[in-house]
């Protein structure tokens, strides 16, 4: 094939990978939009610390549910229909969360949006891995994380702009609706874009082979993946899928505490990705920076700056993942996160607590905490953020990919829920305890990767096994 032909095919596969990764954008937007709204809605609905934490994290339970069922739905109906379903759920959740008349009403619609988040978190990395050539699969798989951090940035920036324009998240804005409600409603726009883009995507060739539609699978492989021998690739996919046996959750069972070892690796990668506490930064950062002396607008702006940092380092990760490899990046990230979280724990040991329970950092320690938090974002954003999604999309054998990814993603959302729900309680005891705990998990993640994670750089999906 000529260089021009390869360039055309690469452009096509990059295009559909970007479109699929828009689910990651909504994933990031939906899980971070609560950041700027949480204090205002807590005051509006008169929430205590426990209910405030649950209102933040309820979407994560919905995400665990969506992730769990997304694999079986994708195997039955295809990858693209799951994307369309997620777009609809995002849209409904955004509008009705913004119009909620009670905290219970809000939590229901946040959970609905969470189901869409969970489904998108499973289907985007699986789809991207299944349409991508091995030589650039890592970079294309990293687009999922880039889309997530862009979604986080868009949510934080939208929140900051709305709050600055209206005078605060609790203030009344357009049509007599409070600003924090508009923060949720604004998500309807990218939800519509995602739905429209999903309608234009080709189905995954590996799903088409599973359903016996070899002609369409061949066309997708030829047009988008640039396979030099389509018939050989179809046969390899057929062999790896073991078509005589229909995929089910039972295929994940094995001798290691009930699951295949490779499934446990995926589950623990997901759990460690959340137990380092990254989403504490993105869910509670506005509240956190107000505690170190920033006013609401400055705290929102600082959260946006942190998000921009995350975008930049994710782009760096995209450039490195197919060169350096997955395992080396994870190990380096574990070291950097452990150091930065340890410094944050130390900084907050010098904090003072006011009579109302608010925490304040003064002098140099406030700057040290800010630098350490952004260093943590750098460490996560260049390594564990994108690389875990790349690995989850490619590390499982074809026959169990969707189901195994669903289990791993569900575990990730449960872990995210646990961390997000317990942070207000832990921080009420001691921020040093909270960040010290996350630092300990970061250190443990290094040894887990060293012993259990194998390199997948440059490997064909058909060569993945159950080990």
């Amino acid at each position: 094939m000529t260089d021009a032909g390869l360039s055309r095919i690469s452009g096509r596969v990059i295009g559909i990978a970007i479109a699929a990764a828009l689910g990651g954008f909504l994933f990031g937007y939906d899980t971070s939009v609560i950041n700027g709204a949480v204090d205002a809605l807590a005051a509006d609905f008169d929430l205590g610390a426990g209910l405030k934490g649950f209102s933040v994290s309820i979407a994560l339970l919905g995400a665990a549910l969506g992730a769990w069922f997304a694999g079986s739905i994708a195997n039955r109906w295809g990858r693209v229909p799951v994307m369309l379903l997620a777009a609809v759920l995002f849209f409904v959740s955004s509008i009705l969360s913004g119009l909620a008349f009670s905290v219970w009403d809000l939590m229901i619609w946040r959970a609905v949006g969470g189901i869409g988040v969970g489904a998108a978190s499973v289907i985007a990395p699986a789809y991207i891995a299944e349409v991508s050539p091995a030589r650039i699969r890592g970079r294309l798989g990293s687009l999922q994380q880039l889309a997530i951090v862009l979604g986080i940035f868009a949510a934080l920036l939208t929140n900051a702009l709305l709050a600055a324009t209206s005078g605060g998240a609790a203030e009344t804005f357009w049509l007599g609706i409070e600003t924090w409600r508009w923060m949720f409603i604004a998500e309807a726009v990218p939800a519509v874009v995602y739905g429209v883009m999903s309608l234009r995507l080709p189905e995954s060739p590996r799903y088409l082979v599973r359903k016996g539609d070899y002609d369409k699978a061949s066309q997708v492989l030829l047009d988008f993946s640039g396979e030099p021998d389509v018939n050989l690739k179809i046969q390899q996919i057929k062999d790896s899928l073991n078509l005589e046996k229909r995929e089910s959750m039972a295929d994940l069972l094995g001798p290691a505490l009930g699951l295949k070892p490779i499934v446990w690796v995926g589950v623990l990668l997901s759990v460690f990705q959340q137990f380092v506490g990254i989403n504490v930064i993105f869910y509670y950062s506005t509240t956190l920076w107000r505690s170190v002396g920033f006013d609401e607008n400055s705290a929102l702006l600082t959260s946006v700056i942190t998000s921009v940092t995350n975008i930049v380092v994710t782009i760096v990760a995209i450039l490195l993942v197919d060169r350096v490899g997955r395992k080396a990046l994870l190990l380096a990230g574990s070291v950097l996160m452990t150091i930065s979280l340890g410094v944050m724990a130390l900084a907050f040991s010098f904090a003072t607590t006011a009579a109302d329970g608010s925490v304040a950092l003064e002098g140099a320690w406030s700057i040290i905490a800010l630098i350490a938090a952004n260093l943590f974002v750098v460490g996560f954003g260049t390594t564990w953020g994108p690389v875990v999604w790349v690995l989850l999309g490619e590390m499982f054998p074809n026959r169990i990919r969707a189901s195994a990814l669903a289990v791993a993603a569900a575990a990730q959302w449960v872990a995210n829920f646990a961390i997000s729900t317990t942070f207000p309680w832990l921080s009420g005891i001691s921020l040093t305890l909270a960040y010290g705990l996350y630092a300990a998990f970061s250190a443990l993640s290094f040894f887990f990767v060293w012993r259990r994670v194998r390199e997948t750089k440059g490997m064909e999906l058909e060569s993945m096994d159950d080990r």
Side-chain angles (χ1 to χ4, degrees), residues 70-233:
S72 57
I73 296 173
N75 285 333
R76 183 168 185 176
W77 300 107
R79 279 49 169 161
V80 172
V82 174
M83 296 183 206
L84 292 171
L85 175 62
V88 171
L89 293 174
F90 283 130
F91 181 82
V92 171
S93 172
S94 64
I95 299 298
L96 296 181
S97 292
L99 300 178
F101 55 84
S102 72
V103 66
W104 306 107
D105 186 27
L106 172 69
M107 288 194 292
I108 288 172
W109 299 116
R110 290 288 295 149
V112 168
I115 294 173
V117 167
S121 73
V122 169
I123 210 59
Y127 178 86
I128 292 170
E130 290 179 347
V131 299
S132 302
R135 68 185 185 278
I136 59 171
R137 191 177 61 238
R139 277 168 282 176
L140 294 183
S142 298
L143 290 175
Q144 163 79 347
Q145 180 67 14
L146 179 60
I148 291 171
V149 299
L150 284 170
I152 292 171
F153 168 74
L156 294 174
L157 181 61
T158 301
N159 288 352
L161 290 174
L162 288 171
T165 303
S166 66
E171 299 299 320
T172 301
F173 202 25
W174 295 318
L175 305 178
I177 299 174
E178 294 95 333
T179 303
W180 68 263
R181 295 179 182 274
W182 281 109
M183 292 176 180
F184 290 116
I185 294 171
E187 188 182 357
V189 175
V192 171
V193 174
Y194 179 46
V196 171
M197 295 294 287
S198 296
L199 286 170
R200 301 175 60 85
L201 292 176
E203 188 52 82
S204 158
R206 284 156 179 91
Y207 169 77
L208 293 170
V209 171
R210 176 186 297 279
K211 304 304 289 185
D213 197 340
Y214 305 130
D215 289 341
K216 283 187 179 179
S218 298
Q219 196 64 49
V220 173
L221 287 168
L222 185 64
D223 289 346
F224 295 95
S225 299
E227 288 295 336
D229 190 337
V230 171
N231 291 332
L232 176 61
K233 175 56 67 174

Side-chain angles (χ1 to χ4, degrees), residues 250-270:
D251 294 324
L252 307 184
L253 300 180
L257 299 176
L259 293 174
K260 293 180 182 294
I262 191 65
V263 180
W264 273 120
V265 172
V267 167
L268 290 173
L269 276 171
S270 293

